[in-house]
Amino acid sequence: MQGIAQVRSRTVVLPVMDVDTDQIFPARFLATTSREGLGHALFADWRFDPSGRPRPEFVLNRPEAKGCSILVAGKNFGGGSSREHAAWALLDQGFRVVISTSIADIFFSNALKNGLVPVRIDETTHAWLLAHPGAEVSVDIGEGTVALPDGRRAAFPMDPFARHCLLHGVDELGYLLSRKPDIEAWELARGMLSNSGREPWIVPEKD
């Protein structure tokens, strides 16, 4: 993952409540395990008609949506199955932030682990964002704030460890690997690791 400290962008507004992961990324596209090229399937049942032609009225098909990296969704976003593809597809489409008043826990976790910033915002700020599609908004991950065009700032909660991972572009495994010297020093101090770097309870194989 790439580290991310701030996202400044116009918003795309999807004012639909209770959007689940099957609507974000329909099940028929789940055959792939690749994270690349999944943007074409994002909201596919809404973006395209049965013959595969884009629906011009859908928000992602409008010219003003091009280049936007902040999605403002309705309440209760990302429920349903735990498919990680939903976060992958949003990222592949170019989104780096999803804002709502409520975001399902599993989707929230999947987003964080892949570098997509899930923002749970207060009702008043959310209502303003829904009413002003295309507004230029700045999301500061370090400060945990959303800045509106009129200068107002709204705070959003985020776990400190999740914030660290986003800012430094690492997941849990990457974080553990970055602390390998500290872990080995701790194990050596407690006799859990030999000076050779081998766990003391492992007998080396004979040549």
Side-chain angles (χ1 to χ4, degrees), residues 20-190:
D20 62 33
T21 51
D22 192 53
Q23 293 163 326
I24 299 170
F25 192 86
R28 64 183 179 277
F29 298 105
L30 288 174
T32 180
T33 57
S34 172
R35 304 184 185 196
E36 307 298 327
L38 301 185
H40 73 283
L42 180 66
F43 302 117
D45 291 339
W46 296 343
R47 288 173 71 185
F48 307 105
D49 66 21
S51 63
R53 291 190 298 264
R55 303 180 192 269
E57 71 277 8
F58 186 67
V59 290
L60 291 188
N61 294 333
R62 297 174 188 166
E64 58 267 28
K66 187 175 181 180
C68 295
S69 54
I70 298 177
L71 176 68
V72 179
K75 298 178 181 180
N76 192 28
F77 185 82
S81 77
S82 61
R83 67 193 68 171
E84 203 166 3
H85 301 67
W88 297 347
L90 284 159
L91 285 165
D92 192 67
Q93 184 67 27
F95 290 110
R96 294 306 306 271
V97 177
V98 175
I99 299 176
S100 179
T101 52
S102 51
I103 300 175
D105 289 341
I106 294 177
F107 175 85
F108 194 95
S109 177
N110 285 339
L112 287 173
K113 291 176 181 178
N114 286 280
L116 178 67
V117 184
V119 172
R120 291 171 172 148
I121 205 72
D122 64 90
E123 295 271 0
T124 301
T125 304
H126 185 240
W128 190 96
L129 290 169
L130 289 176
H132 295 83
E136 187 83 14
V137 171
S138 180
V139 178
D140 191 303
I141 288 83
E143 292 183 356
T145 59
V146 175
L148 304 182
D150 61 6
R152 284 181 296 157
R153 289 179 178 269
F156 62 88
M158 182 173 288
D159 175 78
F161 177 69
R163 178 179 285 111
H164 172 90
C165 289
L166 287 172
L167 291 172
H168 293 86
V170 295
D171 56 14
E172 287 104 328
L173 179 58
Y175 175 78
L176 288 174
L177 290 174
S178 74
R179 303 304 300 269
K180 184 178 179 182
D182 296 328
I183 295 170
E184 290 183 344
W186 186 88
E187 291 180 334
L188 277 170
R190 287 153 183 79

Side-chain angles (χ1 to χ4, degrees), residues 6-20:
Q6 188 178 67
V7 178
R8 185 177 182 84
S9 169
R10 292 176 292 109
T11 61
V12 172
V13 172
L14 182 66
V16 182
M17 293 178 59
D18 304 320
V19 176
D20 62 33

